[in-house]
Amino acid sequence: TINCGVLDRIKELGVAVHPESEDEITKAILRLAQNSMYETYKHQLRKFTFRHTWESIAGEFINAFQS
């Protein structure tokens, strides 16, 4: 969903939707059902190297509280 917290880092890897929007979810499923889109996202995921560890999440919270 768009509420994952790391969308800016992963938005090119798939389809993000509002979790309560049936229309967006339907469109996302139909988009992923297209073989060309599925293959595109699969290729992008294979190149993906971002790791979001609990340590980095904790650091993000600390930075948010300090600012």
Side-chain angles (χ1 to χ4, degrees), residues 1 4 6 9-10 12 16 19-20 22 24 26-27 35-36 38 41 43 45 47-48 51-52 54-55 59 63 65-66:
T1 73
C4 68
V6 293
R9 296 179 186 166
I10 64 169
E12 302 299 322
E20 296 177 13
E22 290 181 26
E24 283 190 32
T26 300
K27 288 178 182 177
N35 192 49
S36 62
Y38 176 78
Y41 289 130
H43 177 72
L45 282 167
K47 297 186 311 183
F48 185 63
R51 298 221 184 260
H52 202 209
W54 285 112
E55 184 176 338
N63 289 339
F65 286 122
Q66 290 177 342

Side-chain angles (χ1 to χ4, degrees), residues 7 15 34 40 44 49:
L7 185 59
V15 181
Q34 297 173 21
T40 297
Q44 290 170 325
T49 60

